[in-house]
Amino acid sequence: MGPLIFVILGFIVGAIVGLTGIGGGVLMAPSLIFLGVEPLVAIGTDLIYASITKSLGSYFHNKKGNVNSKIALMLFFGSIPSMILGYFILKFFNRDIINQYLTLFLGVVLVFTSLMNLKKDILKDVKCRSTYILILFGFLTGLVVQFTSVGSGVLATFALMHFTSLSPREVIGTSLVYGLLICLLGALMHAELGSVNYNLALYLTIGTIPGVYVGVSLNSKIKQKNLRKMMTIVILFMGMILLIRCLLALFCISLGYQ
């Protein structure tokens, strides 16, 4: 498959991120898998791509004072042991089996995170401030990101909204910095595993830069609430399709078909 399709994909995902604020991770990794990229390589490459895109947003939010470094590091420290655990699982288990179950896991995460977005008001009045809860959320998020490249935005934002007193702008800025840290760490680990396609990451980034600009330009012209809900439903269906495809493949394997 030629590089142009990946430049176009980068443009589309970048435009959606700029338009809706929905994280590129929930869109990029499953899209790459649908286009035939090996699941493990899709996730490793997406982590490189996410590191590049999150660095710019982190820089601007930090300049505006929207980053709580202490909380971002607290989440990150919780993520380190789980990402190391994930690294050794990826390193020593059979790659074909990992690819099969990564697709299944990614489908579950997409469905779960999209349902969280659709039902985000469930805990809107619940506030619980605890260092241990943030570290636990960091641990869980790190494991999910290491295996799927998805979750640093949705899960971290959920934790910061409900377990801290940060303002909405601080939630976004802190979540971006935390996401940048774990994406960088995950990308380094996947690079050591040989599951990163650098040319593919470059093509995606080339498309994303103008895509984000277009998305931000259109941002004020479209009702955000309806658009975000529509995109969340799209992500839900993507997760369901991945789950069905993976479960069918596992069923065929159990019957002795290749």
Side-chain angles (χ1 to χ4, degrees), residues 60-155:
F60 285 118
H61 274 281
N62 189 53
K63 282 194 71 174
K64 292 181 179 180
N66 295 337
V67 175
N68 187 311
S69 300
K70 182 180 178 180
I71 290 178
L73 289 173
M74 198 181 301
L75 286 167
F76 181 56
F77 288 145
S79 300
I80 293 173
S82 61
M83 296 189 78
I84 292 173
L85 173 63
Y87 166 79
F88 282 110
I89 292 174
L90 293 173
K91 187 175 181 68
F92 293 110
F93 279 68
N94 181 278
R95 186 159 176 143
D96 291 334
I97 295 175
I98 286 174
N99 277 321
Q100 190 68 53
Y101 285 98
L102 278 180
T103 305
L104 178 64
F105 191 30
L106 178 58
V108 171
V109 171
L110 289 176
V111 171
F112 177 71
T113 53
S114 57
L115 290 175
M116 278 181 62
N117 272 332
L118 290 172
K119 298 293 184 181
K120 63 184 178 181
D121 292 333
I122 290 178
L123 295 175
K124 64 181 180 179
D125 295 324
V126 178
K127 290 286 184 182
C128 176
R129 296 167 181 75
S130 169
T131 298
Y132 299 110
I133 289 178
L134 289 176
I135 291 175
L136 176 60
F137 248 93
F139 183 90
L140 296 173
T141 304
L143 197 61
V144 170
V145 169
Q146 184 75 314
F147 283 116
T148 69
S149 76
V150 175
S152 65
V154 175
L155 296 177

Side-chain angles (χ1 to χ4, degrees), residues 80 83-84 87 146 184-195:
I80 293 173
M83 296 189 78
I84 292 173
Y87 166 79
Q146 184 75 314
L184 281 172
L185 180 59
L188 287 172
M189 292 179 176
H190 275 270
E192 198 280 331
L193 293 168
S195 55

Side-chain angles (χ1 to χ4, degrees), residues 3-54:
L4 181 59
I5 188 67
F6 296 111
V7 174
I8 293 172
L9 175 62
F11 179 87
I12 293 171
V13 172
I16 291 171
V17 171
L19 188 60
T20 67
I22 293 175
V26 295
L27 298 170
M28 186 58 75
S31 297
L32 290 174
I33 292 172
F34 279 128
L35 289 174
V37 178
E38 179 190 347
L40 193 57
V41 173
I43 290 164
T45 303
D46 184 36
L47 285 168
I48 289 282
Y49 163 81
S51 299
I52 296 170
T53 55
K54 287 179 185 294

